[in-house]
Amino acid sequence: MLDDLDLFVAIVDAGSLRAAALRLEMPAPTLTRRLQALEARLGCKLLNRSARRMVPSNEGWQYYEQCKPLLAALRQATASLDATLNRVEGVVRLMAPLNMANDMLLPLWERLLRDHPQLRLELKLNNNMDDLYSGMADLALRVGEQTDPSLQQRRVGAVRTILVAAPGYLEAHGEPERPAELAAHRLLMSEPFQRWKLRHRESGEEVEWPVAPCLQANDMLLTRRLAEAGAGIAVSPLSICHRQVADGSLCRVLEPWEIAVRPVYAVWPQRRALPARVRVVLDALLAFAAAEPRLQE
C-alpha cells in the first residue's frame, strides 16, 4: 500500500496522470489501475478527473497533506539506515576466547584498526554466549562444534592441540614414548581437554587419556606457564604455545600421537543482517585465518 500512496502523491505533484506516468516511467493504464485500487481500499474518491487535469477531492487533499510528509520522513529514514548499514564506521562488539585473542589474533586487530580508522572494536574476551543472544555483541569467535540453530556460522579454521614440557622437566623425569607412560608423569590440563583421545598419526591407534591430571584449570595459559616452569606435561593448543616450541623453552611430547583438531567458527544471531562494519570484521577474520598456518588442519 505504501507504493500506491507514493503514486498518489506523485500524481498530485505532477498535476496530471500523464505527467506522473512520464515522471515515474510507468504506463498510464497501470497508474490508473493502481489509483483505482487505492481508492477502493480507502472507500472514497481521491481525485476528480477532467479531460486535462486530475484535481484532488476534499478527501484527496486531506489524504495528500497527511501522507506526503510521512512518505518524505520514511524516505529519509530509509536512506539514513541504508547509509548506516553500508558505512564501515561505528562500534563492532566481538567476543573471542581470551588466549587466542591475546596471541594469535593480535595482527588481525592491528590490521582492522589500521585499515578502518572509523571503526571501533569492543572486544569481550570470554566464552559466554549470553551477550550474543541478547544483542549486546555482533559477532563471536568460538572453538568447537556449534549446534545452536539460532546462530549463523562460518567455519574459520581449526586449532591443533599438542603435549608440551620444559626441557628440564624431561631431563629430570624422562620423555614418554607411548601414551601409557604418561601415567608416570605430572599432567597439566585445562578445559575442555579432560576427555580427549590420542591417535597415532601413522597406525591410527587410539588411546584414551591414561591418567587423571595432577592439575586441572579453566585457563589454558596457566597450564602452559606451569609447563614452562618445569611443573609437568601440559596439554596446550598450538596457538598459545607455538613461540615457546619455536624457541625451545617447551618441547613437544609424544609427537607422533595427535589430539583431534577442534574447529573454529565465527557465529552471529540468525535473525540479524550484518551491517557493513560487521561484515568487514568477518571478512578480515576469514582472510586472516586462510593465511594463518596455525589455523589450518
Side-chain angles (χ1 to χ4, degrees):
M1 186 171 179
L2 281 174
D3 288 342
D4 291 338
L5 294 180
D6 209 14
L7 294 180
F8 166 66
V9 171
I11 293 169
V12 176
D13 286 341
S16 72
L17 187 67
R18 178 171 179 167
L22 289 172
R23 182 179 299 177
L24 296 171
E25 298 181 351
M26 180 182 294
T30 301
L31 195 56
T32 300
R33 186 169 60 252
R34 291 180 61 176
L35 174 62
Q36 291 171 343
L38 177 62
E39 289 177 327
R41 282 197 298 271
L42 295 175
C44 66
K45 193 176 185 64
L46 296 175
L47 293 172
N48 294 315
R49 300 160 178 82
S50 67
R52 296 185 178 181
R53 291 183 60 81
M54 301 186 79
V55 180
S57 64
N58 291 335
E59 294 84 359
W61 276 119
Q62 182 179 1
Y63 201 54
Y64 171 82
E65 290 172 352
Q66 291 178 348
C67 289
K68 185 170 184 176
L70 292 177
L71 289 170
L74 180 60
R75 288 194 193 94
Q76 185 177 3
T78 301
S80 176
L81 179 60
D82 183 65
T84 299
L85 290 175
N86 292 287
R87 194 166 51 232
V88 183
E89 66 177 51
V91 178
V92 175
R93 298 175 178 88
L94 187 146
M95 298 188 296
L98 175 65
N99 297 320
M100 184 181 291
N102 269 304
D103 190 310
M104 183 169 57
L105 296 179
L106 281 175
L108 172 64
W109 313 137
E110 186 276 331
R111 189 176 308 165
L112 282 167
L113 294 174
R114 182 193 66 220
D115 294 346
H116 303 284
Q118 301 302 314
L119 199 64
R120 287 178 51 211
L121 292 177
E122 288 188 6
L123 302 179
K124 297 188 176 183
L125 307 185
N126 59 51
N127 290 312
N128 185 1
M129 297 293 278
D130 289 345
D131 284 349
L132 195 61
Y133 295 127
S134 67
M136 297 300 291
D138 301 298
L139 196 64
L141 191 64
R142 289 293 173 258
V143 179
E145 293 295 344
Q146 304 298 308
T147 58
D148 190 334
S150 69
L151 298 177
Q152 294 271 37
Q153 58 179 259
R154 285 286 303 273
R155 188 181 175 103
V156 173
V159 290
R160 296 170 58 203
T161 302
I162 60 176
L163 284 80
V164 292
Y169 174 87
L170 296 176
E171 289 175 9
H173 299 86
E175 184 171 350
E177 296 184 0
R178 290 192 56 80
E181 297 176 22
L182 290 172
H185 289 268
R186 298 197 295 267
L187 282 183
L188 312 170
M189 287 191 185
S190 58
E191 298 175 356
F193 300 117
Q194 301 94 321
R195 297 180 182 86
W196 286 86
K197 295 179 180 179
L198 287 168
R199 182 179 184 276
H200 195 276
R201 187 181 304 120
E202 296 178 358
S203 69
E205 179 186 357
E206 289 188 343
V207 178
E208 298 277 356
W209 286 124
V211 65
C214 69
L215 180 137
Q216 183 173 308
N218 64 351
D219 184 5
M220 299 176 186
L221 193 57
L222 174 62
T223 53
R224 190 207 76 192
R225 286 175 172 168
L226 285 170
E228 288 180 83
I233 298 175
V235 182
S236 178
L238 185 60
S239 59
I240 66 169
C241 68
H242 61 99
R243 291 190 179 88
Q244 291 72 25
V245 172
D247 65 24
S249 57
L250 286 174
C251 300
R252 291 194 61 172
V253 176
L254 292 175
E255 188 168 352
W257 294 82
E258 298 177 334
I259 300 170
V261 297
R262 295 187 300 152
V264 180
Y265 290 93
V267 297
W268 62 95
Q270 194 172 88
R271 65 184 182 276
R272 187 179 307 165
L274 289 180
R277 64 183 186 278
V278 181
R279 173 60 62 180
V280 159
V281 174
L282 176 60
D283 290 345
L285 177 59
L286 294 172
F288 174 85
E292 174 51 65
R294 288 167 288 166
L295 281 171
Q296 308 309 310
E297 299 193 28

